[in-house]
Short mmCIF file of all heavy atoms in Angstrom, two decimals:
data_model
loop_
_atom_site.label_atom_id
_atom_site.label_comp_id
_atom_site.label_asym_id
_atom_site.label_seq_id
_atom_site.Cartn_x
_atom_site.Cartn_y
_atom_site.Cartn_z
N PHE A 21 -17.52 36.06 17.63
CA PHE A 21 -18.76 36.02 18.40
C PHE A 21 -18.74 37.07 19.51
O PHE A 21 -19.69 37.84 19.66
CB PHE A 21 -18.96 34.62 19.00
CG PHE A 21 -20.15 34.52 19.92
CD1 PHE A 21 -21.43 34.39 19.41
CD2 PHE A 21 -19.98 34.56 21.30
CE1 PHE A 21 -22.52 34.30 20.25
CE2 PHE A 21 -21.07 34.48 22.14
CZ PHE A 21 -22.33 34.35 21.62
N ASP A 22 -17.64 37.12 20.28
CA ASP A 22 -17.53 38.10 21.36
C ASP A 22 -17.60 39.53 20.82
O ASP A 22 -18.20 40.40 21.44
CB ASP A 22 -16.23 37.89 22.14
CG ASP A 22 -16.23 36.61 22.97
OD1 ASP A 22 -17.33 36.09 23.24
OD2 ASP A 22 -15.14 36.16 23.34
N GLY A 23 -17.02 39.76 19.65
CA GLY A 23 -17.10 41.08 19.03
C GLY A 23 -18.52 41.45 18.64
O GLY A 23 -18.95 42.60 18.85
N CYS A 24 -19.27 40.48 18.12
CA CYS A 24 -20.67 40.72 17.76
C CYS A 24 -21.50 41.02 19.00
O CYS A 24 -22.33 41.94 19.00
CB CYS A 24 -21.25 39.52 17.03
SG CYS A 24 -20.61 39.29 15.37
N VAL A 25 -21.27 40.25 20.06
CA VAL A 25 -21.99 40.48 21.31
C VAL A 25 -21.70 41.88 21.83
O VAL A 25 -22.62 42.62 22.21
CB VAL A 25 -21.62 39.41 22.37
CG1 VAL A 25 -22.12 39.80 23.76
CG2 VAL A 25 -22.17 38.05 21.96
N GLN A 26 -20.44 42.27 21.83
CA GLN A 26 -20.07 43.60 22.33
C GLN A 26 -20.69 44.71 21.48
O GLN A 26 -21.17 45.71 22.01
CB GLN A 26 -18.56 43.76 22.41
CG GLN A 26 -18.14 45.01 23.15
CD GLN A 26 -18.69 45.04 24.57
OE1 GLN A 26 -18.53 44.11 25.34
NE2 GLN A 26 -19.38 46.13 24.92
N THR A 27 -20.69 44.52 20.18
CA THR A 27 -21.29 45.52 19.29
C THR A 27 -22.78 45.69 19.60
O THR A 27 -23.27 46.82 19.69
CB THR A 27 -21.11 45.13 17.81
OG1 THR A 27 -19.70 45.09 17.52
CG2 THR A 27 -21.80 46.09 16.87
N LEU A 28 -23.49 44.58 19.77
CA LEU A 28 -24.91 44.65 20.10
C LEU A 28 -25.13 45.33 21.45
O LEU A 28 -26.01 46.17 21.60
CB LEU A 28 -25.53 43.26 20.10
CG LEU A 28 -25.68 42.61 18.73
CD1 LEU A 28 -26.03 41.14 18.87
CD2 LEU A 28 -26.72 43.33 17.91
N ARG A 29 -24.30 44.98 22.43
CA ARG A 29 -24.43 45.60 23.76
C ARG A 29 -24.14 47.09 23.69
O ARG A 29 -24.80 47.88 24.36
CB ARG A 29 -23.52 44.90 24.75
CG ARG A 29 -24.05 43.53 25.13
CD ARG A 29 -23.16 42.80 26.10
NE ARG A 29 -23.79 41.57 26.54
CZ ARG A 29 -23.15 40.55 27.05
NH1 ARG A 29 -21.83 40.61 27.22
NH2 ARG A 29 -23.80 39.46 27.41
N ASP A 30 -23.14 47.47 22.89
CA ASP A 30 -22.82 48.89 22.73
C ASP A 30 -23.99 49.66 22.13
O ASP A 30 -24.13 50.86 22.36
CB ASP A 30 -21.58 49.07 21.84
CG ASP A 30 -20.29 48.62 22.51
OD1 ASP A 30 -20.29 48.40 23.75
OD2 ASP A 30 -19.28 48.46 21.78
N LEU A 31 -24.82 48.96 21.37
CA LEU A 31 -26.00 49.59 20.76
C LEU A 31 -27.22 49.54 21.68
O LEU A 31 -28.32 49.94 21.29
CB LEU A 31 -26.32 48.91 19.43
CG LEU A 31 -25.28 49.11 18.33
CD1 LEU A 31 -25.56 48.19 17.14
CD2 LEU A 31 -25.28 50.58 17.88
N GLY A 32 -27.04 49.00 22.88
CA GLY A 32 -28.13 48.96 23.85
C GLY A 32 -28.97 47.70 23.81
O GLY A 32 -30.02 47.64 24.45
N VAL A 33 -28.54 46.70 23.07
CA VAL A 33 -29.29 45.45 22.98
C VAL A 33 -28.90 44.56 24.17
O VAL A 33 -27.72 44.37 24.46
CB VAL A 33 -28.98 44.71 21.66
CG1 VAL A 33 -29.70 43.37 21.60
CG2 VAL A 33 -29.36 45.58 20.47
N ASN A 34 -29.91 44.03 24.87
CA ASN A 34 -29.66 43.11 25.98
C ASN A 34 -29.32 41.74 25.38
O ASN A 34 -30.18 41.08 24.81
CB ASN A 34 -30.89 43.01 26.88
CG ASN A 34 -30.66 42.09 28.07
OD1 ASN A 34 -29.53 41.76 28.40
ND2 ASN A 34 -31.74 41.70 28.70
N VAL A 35 -28.08 41.33 25.49
CA VAL A 35 -27.61 40.06 24.95
C VAL A 35 -27.33 39.11 26.10
O VAL A 35 -26.58 39.45 27.02
CB VAL A 35 -26.33 40.24 24.10
CG1 VAL A 35 -25.85 38.90 23.57
CG2 VAL A 35 -26.56 41.22 22.98
N VAL A 36 -27.94 37.94 26.07
CA VAL A 36 -27.71 36.91 27.08
C VAL A 36 -26.96 35.78 26.39
O VAL A 36 -27.44 35.23 25.40
CB VAL A 36 -29.04 36.40 27.68
CG1 VAL A 36 -28.78 35.33 28.72
CG2 VAL A 36 -29.86 37.55 28.25
N VAL A 37 -25.79 35.45 26.91
CA VAL A 37 -24.96 34.40 26.32
C VAL A 37 -24.98 33.19 27.24
O VAL A 37 -24.78 33.31 28.45
CB VAL A 37 -23.50 34.89 26.13
CG1 VAL A 37 -22.62 33.76 25.60
CG2 VAL A 37 -23.46 36.09 25.21
N PHE A 38 -25.23 32.02 26.68
CA PHE A 38 -25.26 30.78 27.43
C PHE A 38 -24.02 29.95 27.10
O PHE A 38 -23.71 29.75 25.93
CB PHE A 38 -26.51 29.96 27.09
CG PHE A 38 -27.77 30.68 27.43
CD1 PHE A 38 -28.44 31.41 26.49
CD2 PHE A 38 -28.26 30.64 28.72
CE1 PHE A 38 -29.59 32.10 26.81
CE2 PHE A 38 -29.40 31.33 29.06
CZ PHE A 38 -30.07 32.05 28.10
N ASP A 39 -23.35 29.47 28.13
CA ASP A 39 -22.16 28.64 27.96
C ASP A 39 -22.52 27.23 28.41
O ASP A 39 -22.61 26.96 29.61
CB ASP A 39 -21.01 29.21 28.78
CG ASP A 39 -19.73 28.42 28.62
OD1 ASP A 39 -19.74 27.35 27.97
OD2 ASP A 39 -18.71 28.87 29.15
N LYS A 40 -22.74 26.34 27.46
CA LYS A 40 -23.19 24.99 27.81
C LYS A 40 -22.16 24.24 28.63
O LYS A 40 -22.50 23.31 29.35
CB LYS A 40 -23.59 24.20 26.58
CG LYS A 40 -22.46 23.62 25.78
CD LYS A 40 -22.99 22.76 24.64
CE LYS A 40 -21.89 22.04 23.94
NZ LYS A 40 -21.57 20.76 24.55
N SER A 41 -20.89 24.65 28.58
CA SER A 41 -19.87 23.95 29.36
C SER A 41 -20.07 24.14 30.86
O SER A 41 -19.50 23.40 31.66
CB SER A 41 -18.47 24.42 28.96
OG SER A 41 -18.26 25.76 29.35
N LYS A 42 -20.91 25.09 31.24
CA LYS A 42 -21.20 25.30 32.66
C LYS A 42 -22.25 24.33 33.19
O LYS A 42 -22.52 24.31 34.38
CB LYS A 42 -21.67 26.74 32.88
CG LYS A 42 -20.59 27.76 32.63
CD LYS A 42 -21.09 29.15 32.88
CE LYS A 42 -19.98 30.15 32.62
NZ LYS A 42 -20.44 31.53 32.85
N TYR A 43 -22.85 23.56 32.30
CA TYR A 43 -23.89 22.62 32.68
C TYR A 43 -23.41 21.20 32.41
O TYR A 43 -23.24 20.79 31.26
CB TYR A 43 -25.18 22.89 31.90
CG TYR A 43 -25.73 24.27 32.13
CD1 TYR A 43 -25.42 25.33 31.27
CD2 TYR A 43 -26.54 24.53 33.23
CE1 TYR A 43 -25.92 26.60 31.50
CE2 TYR A 43 -27.05 25.81 33.47
CZ TYR A 43 -26.73 26.84 32.60
OH TYR A 43 -27.22 28.09 32.82
N GLU A 44 -23.20 20.45 33.48
CA GLU A 44 -22.69 19.08 33.36
C GLU A 44 -23.54 18.24 32.41
O GLU A 44 -23.02 17.45 31.62
CB GLU A 44 -22.63 18.43 34.75
CG GLU A 44 -21.93 17.09 34.77
CD GLU A 44 -20.46 17.17 34.39
OE1 GLU A 44 -19.78 18.14 34.77
OE2 GLU A 44 -19.99 16.25 33.70
N GLU A 45 -24.86 18.44 32.47
CA GLU A 45 -25.78 17.63 31.65
C GLU A 45 -25.60 17.88 30.15
O GLU A 45 -26.01 17.06 29.34
CB GLU A 45 -27.23 17.94 32.01
CG GLU A 45 -27.56 17.78 33.47
CD GLU A 45 -27.35 19.06 34.29
OE1 GLU A 45 -26.58 19.95 33.89
OE2 GLU A 45 -27.95 19.16 35.36
N LEU A 46 -25.02 19.01 29.77
CA LEU A 46 -24.88 19.36 28.36
C LEU A 46 -23.47 19.20 27.81
O LEU A 46 -23.27 19.33 26.60
CB LEU A 46 -25.32 20.82 28.14
CG LEU A 46 -26.77 21.15 28.45
CD1 LEU A 46 -27.02 22.63 28.27
CD2 LEU A 46 -27.71 20.34 27.56
N LYS A 47 -22.51 18.88 28.66
CA LYS A 47 -21.11 18.86 28.21
C LYS A 47 -20.85 17.92 27.04
O LYS A 47 -20.06 18.23 26.17
CB LYS A 47 -20.18 18.55 29.37
CG LYS A 47 -19.99 19.75 30.28
CD LYS A 47 -18.95 19.51 31.33
CE LYS A 47 -18.82 20.77 32.17
NZ LYS A 47 -17.88 20.61 33.24
N GLU A 48 -21.51 16.78 27.02
CA GLU A 48 -21.27 15.80 25.96
C GLU A 48 -22.23 15.93 24.79
O GLU A 48 -22.09 15.23 23.80
CB GLU A 48 -21.34 14.37 26.54
CG GLU A 48 -20.29 14.09 27.61
CD GLU A 48 -18.86 14.30 27.09
OE1 GLU A 48 -18.55 13.88 25.97
OE2 GLU A 48 -18.06 14.90 27.85
N VAL A 49 -23.21 16.81 24.89
CA VAL A 49 -24.19 16.98 23.81
C VAL A 49 -23.55 17.82 22.70
O VAL A 49 -23.02 18.89 22.95
CB VAL A 49 -25.47 17.68 24.34
CG1 VAL A 49 -26.45 17.91 23.20
CG2 VAL A 49 -26.10 16.86 25.44
N LYS A 50 -23.57 17.31 21.50
CA LYS A 50 -23.02 18.02 20.34
C LYS A 50 -24.04 19.04 19.86
O LYS A 50 -25.15 18.68 19.51
CB LYS A 50 -22.67 17.04 19.21
CG LYS A 50 -21.68 15.98 19.60
CD LYS A 50 -20.32 16.57 19.88
CE LYS A 50 -19.33 15.46 20.20
NZ LYS A 50 -18.25 15.88 21.01
N LEU A 51 -23.63 20.29 19.85
CA LEU A 51 -24.51 21.38 19.43
C LEU A 51 -23.77 22.22 18.40
O LEU A 51 -23.22 23.27 18.71
CB LEU A 51 -24.91 22.23 20.64
CG LEU A 51 -25.58 21.45 21.79
CD1 LEU A 51 -25.70 22.31 23.02
CD2 LEU A 51 -26.92 20.93 21.34
N PRO A 52 -23.74 21.76 17.14
CA PRO A 52 -22.90 22.40 16.13
C PRO A 52 -23.23 23.86 15.84
O PRO A 52 -22.34 24.64 15.52
CB PRO A 52 -23.12 21.53 14.89
CG PRO A 52 -24.44 20.87 15.10
CD PRO A 52 -24.54 20.67 16.59
N ASP A 53 -24.46 24.24 15.98
CA ASP A 53 -24.86 25.61 15.66
C ASP A 53 -25.51 26.29 16.86
O ASP A 53 -26.37 27.14 16.70
CB ASP A 53 -25.83 25.63 14.47
CG ASP A 53 -25.17 25.15 13.20
OD1 ASP A 53 -24.00 25.48 12.99
OD2 ASP A 53 -25.83 24.44 12.43
N ALA A 54 -25.07 25.94 18.05
CA ALA A 54 -25.70 26.47 19.26
C ALA A 54 -25.57 27.98 19.36
O ALA A 54 -26.29 28.61 20.12
CB ALA A 54 -25.11 25.81 20.50
N VAL A 55 -24.68 28.55 18.61
CA VAL A 55 -24.52 30.01 18.63
C VAL A 55 -25.71 30.71 17.98
O VAL A 55 -25.87 31.91 18.11
CB VAL A 55 -23.18 30.41 17.97
CG1 VAL A 55 -23.23 30.28 16.47
CG2 VAL A 55 -22.76 31.81 18.38
N PHE A 56 -26.58 29.95 17.34
CA PHE A 56 -27.75 30.51 16.66
C PHE A 56 -29.06 30.00 17.27
O PHE A 56 -29.86 29.39 16.58
CB PHE A 56 -27.72 30.15 15.17
CG PHE A 56 -26.47 30.58 14.47
CD1 PHE A 56 -25.57 29.64 14.02
CD2 PHE A 56 -26.21 31.93 14.27
CE1 PHE A 56 -24.41 30.03 13.37
CE2 PHE A 56 -25.04 32.33 13.62
CZ PHE A 56 -24.14 31.38 13.18
N PRO A 57 -29.33 30.24 18.56
CA PRO A 57 -30.56 29.69 19.14
C PRO A 57 -31.81 30.30 18.54
O PRO A 57 -32.88 29.71 18.65
CB PRO A 57 -30.44 30.05 20.63
CG PRO A 57 -29.55 31.25 20.64
CD PRO A 57 -28.58 31.04 19.50
N ASN A 58 -31.69 31.45 17.90
CA ASN A 58 -32.86 32.06 17.28
C ASN A 58 -33.44 31.18 16.19
O ASN A 58 -34.55 31.40 15.73
CB ASN A 58 -32.52 33.44 16.71
CG ASN A 58 -31.46 33.35 15.63
OD1 ASN A 58 -30.37 32.84 15.87
ND2 ASN A 58 -31.78 33.82 14.44
N ASN A 59 -32.72 30.16 15.78
CA ASN A 59 -33.24 29.24 14.77
C ASN A 59 -34.22 28.24 15.37
O ASN A 59 -34.92 27.57 14.63
CB ASN A 59 -32.10 28.48 14.09
CG ASN A 59 -31.28 29.37 13.21
OD1 ASN A 59 -31.75 30.37 12.71
ND2 ASN A 59 -30.03 29.04 13.04
N TRP A 60 -34.26 28.09 16.69
CA TRP A 60 -35.16 27.12 17.27
C TRP A 60 -36.04 27.66 18.37
O TRP A 60 -36.92 26.98 18.86
CB TRP A 60 -34.43 25.87 17.72
CG TRP A 60 -33.38 26.06 18.77
CD1 TRP A 60 -32.05 26.26 18.54
CD2 TRP A 60 -33.55 26.07 20.18
NE1 TRP A 60 -31.40 26.41 19.73
CE2 TRP A 60 -32.29 26.29 20.76
CE3 TRP A 60 -34.64 25.92 21.03
CZ2 TRP A 60 -32.09 26.35 22.12
CZ3 TRP A 60 -34.44 25.99 22.39
CH2 TRP A 60 -33.17 26.19 22.92
N PHE A 61 -35.81 28.90 18.80
CA PHE A 61 -36.79 29.48 19.71
C PHE A 61 -36.89 30.98 19.50
O PHE A 61 -35.99 31.63 19.00
CB PHE A 61 -36.48 29.13 21.18
CG PHE A 61 -35.53 30.08 21.89
CD1 PHE A 61 -36.00 31.18 22.57
CD2 PHE A 61 -34.16 29.84 21.90
CE1 PHE A 61 -35.15 32.03 23.25
CE2 PHE A 61 -33.30 30.68 22.56
CZ PHE A 61 -33.79 31.78 23.25
N ASN A 62 -38.04 31.48 19.91
CA ASN A 62 -38.31 32.90 19.79
C ASN A 62 -39.10 33.31 21.02
O ASN A 62 -39.79 32.50 21.61
CB ASN A 62 -39.12 33.18 18.52
CG ASN A 62 -39.14 34.64 18.16
OD1 ASN A 62 -38.70 35.50 18.89
ND2 ASN A 62 -39.69 34.92 16.99
N THR A 63 -38.98 34.56 21.40
CA THR A 63 -39.75 35.06 22.52
C THR A 63 -40.69 36.14 22.01
O THR A 63 -40.30 37.01 21.24
CB THR A 63 -38.85 35.65 23.62
OG1 THR A 63 -38.04 36.68 23.07
CG2 THR A 63 -37.96 34.57 24.22
N ILE A 64 -41.94 36.03 22.42
CA ILE A 64 -42.95 37.03 22.07
C ILE A 64 -43.73 37.31 23.34
O ILE A 64 -44.32 36.41 23.94
CB ILE A 64 -43.89 36.53 20.95
CG1 ILE A 64 -43.10 36.24 19.69
CG2 ILE A 64 -45.00 37.52 20.70
CD1 ILE A 64 -43.91 35.61 18.58
N ASP A 65 -43.70 38.57 23.75
CA ASP A 65 -44.35 38.96 25.00
C ASP A 65 -43.85 38.07 26.13
O ASP A 65 -42.67 38.02 26.39
CB ASP A 65 -45.86 38.96 24.86
CG ASP A 65 -46.34 39.95 23.80
OD1 ASP A 65 -45.74 41.04 23.71
OD2 ASP A 65 -47.30 39.64 23.08
N ASP A 66 -44.76 37.32 26.74
CA ASP A 66 -44.35 36.47 27.85
C ASP A 66 -44.34 34.99 27.47
O ASP A 66 -44.47 34.12 28.31
CB ASP A 66 -45.27 36.70 29.05
CG ASP A 66 -46.70 36.27 28.79
OD1 ASP A 66 -47.05 36.05 27.61
OD2 ASP A 66 -47.46 36.14 29.75
N ARG A 67 -44.15 34.72 26.20
CA ARG A 67 -44.16 33.33 25.73
C ARG A 67 -42.83 32.96 25.07
O ARG A 67 -42.16 33.80 24.50
CB ARG A 67 -45.28 33.10 24.71
CG ARG A 67 -46.65 33.31 25.28
CD ARG A 67 -47.72 33.07 24.25
NE ARG A 67 -47.57 34.04 23.17
CZ ARG A 67 -47.88 33.81 21.90
NH1 ARG A 67 -48.36 32.65 21.56
NH2 ARG A 67 -47.73 34.73 21.00
N VAL A 68 -42.48 31.69 25.16
CA VAL A 68 -41.35 31.14 24.43
C VAL A 68 -41.93 30.18 23.41
O VAL A 68 -42.69 29.27 23.76
CB VAL A 68 -40.36 30.38 25.35
CG1 VAL A 68 -39.29 29.70 24.53
CG2 VAL A 68 -39.73 31.35 26.34
N ILE A 69 -41.60 30.38 22.16
CA ILE A 69 -42.10 29.53 21.09
C ILE A 69 -40.92 28.76 20.51
O ILE A 69 -39.90 29.36 20.14
CB ILE A 69 -42.78 30.36 19.99
CG1 ILE A 69 -43.94 31.16 20.59
CG2 ILE A 69 -43.24 29.47 18.83
CD1 ILE A 69 -44.50 32.21 19.69
N THR A 70 -41.04 27.44 20.47
CA THR A 70 -39.96 26.62 19.91
C THR A 70 -40.36 26.15 18.52
O THR A 70 -41.53 25.96 18.21
CB THR A 70 -39.64 25.41 20.81
OG1 THR A 70 -40.81 24.60 20.93
CG2 THR A 70 -39.16 25.85 22.17
N PHE A 71 -39.35 25.97 17.70
CA PHE A 71 -39.55 25.55 16.32
C PHE A 71 -38.89 24.19 16.10
O PHE A 71 -37.86 23.90 16.68
CB PHE A 71 -38.94 26.56 15.35
CG PHE A 71 -39.51 27.93 15.50
CD1 PHE A 71 -38.88 28.87 16.30
CD2 PHE A 71 -40.68 28.29 14.86
CE1 PHE A 71 -39.41 30.14 16.45
CE2 PHE A 71 -41.22 29.55 15.00
CZ PHE A 71 -40.58 30.47 15.81
N ARG A 72 -39.47 23.43 15.24
CA ARG A 72 -38.92 22.12 14.90
C ARG A 72 -37.79 22.31 13.90
O ARG A 72 -37.92 23.03 12.93
CB ARG A 72 -40.03 21.26 14.30
CG ARG A 72 -39.60 19.89 14.06
CD ARG A 72 -40.78 19.06 13.65
NE ARG A 72 -40.38 17.72 13.98
CZ ARG A 72 -41.17 16.73 14.20
NH1 ARG A 72 -42.45 16.93 14.12
NH2 ARG A 72 -40.74 15.55 14.50
N LEU A 73 -36.67 21.63 14.14
CA LEU A 73 -35.53 21.69 13.24
C LEU A 73 -35.48 20.42 12.41
O LEU A 73 -35.51 19.31 12.93
CB LEU A 73 -34.23 21.85 14.03
CG LEU A 73 -34.17 23.14 14.85
CD1 LEU A 73 -32.97 23.11 15.77
CD2 LEU A 73 -34.09 24.33 13.94
N LYS A 74 -35.43 20.57 11.12
CA LYS A 74 -35.47 19.42 10.22
C LYS A 74 -34.18 18.61 10.28
O LYS A 74 -34.21 17.39 10.30
CB LYS A 74 -35.73 19.89 8.79
CG LYS A 74 -35.95 18.75 7.83
CD LYS A 74 -36.35 19.26 6.48
CE LYS A 74 -36.62 18.10 5.54
NZ LYS A 74 -37.09 18.55 4.24
N ASN A 75 -33.05 19.28 10.31
CA ASN A 75 -31.76 18.60 10.30
C ASN A 75 -31.53 17.91 11.64
O ASN A 75 -31.58 18.54 12.68
CB ASN A 75 -30.64 19.61 10.01
CG ASN A 75 -29.32 18.95 9.77
OD1 ASN A 75 -28.94 18.03 10.47
ND2 ASN A 75 -28.61 19.43 8.77
N THR A 76 -31.24 16.61 11.61
CA THR A 76 -31.07 15.86 12.86
C THR A 76 -29.88 16.36 13.67
O THR A 76 -29.89 16.24 14.89
CB THR A 76 -30.91 14.35 12.58
OG1 THR A 76 -29.85 14.15 11.65
CG2 THR A 76 -32.17 13.76 12.03
#
Side-chain angles (χ1 to χ4, degrees):
F21 175 79
D22 290 340
C24 289
V25 168
Q26 191 58 52
T27 298
L28 289 168
R29 287 179 174 159
D30 290 346
L31 294 169
V33 176
N34 182 16
V35 179
V36 180
V37 177
F38 299 95
D39 182 353
K40 79 175 187 88
S41 68
K42 293 181 180 180
Y43 300 94
E44 188 63 38
E45 305 90 338
L46 297 177
K47 284 187 179 178
E48 299 302 317
V49 178
K50 302 293 183 206
L51 304 170
D53 294 322
V55 74
F56 304 111
N58 61 303
N59 290 334
W60 61 267
F61 87 90
N62 194 352
T63 57
I64 299 174
D65 298 323
D66 65 345
R67 297 180 297 148
V68 174
I69 301 168
T70 60
F71 301 95
R72 186 172 203 157
L73 298 171
K74 187 173 182 177
N75 189 317
T76 54

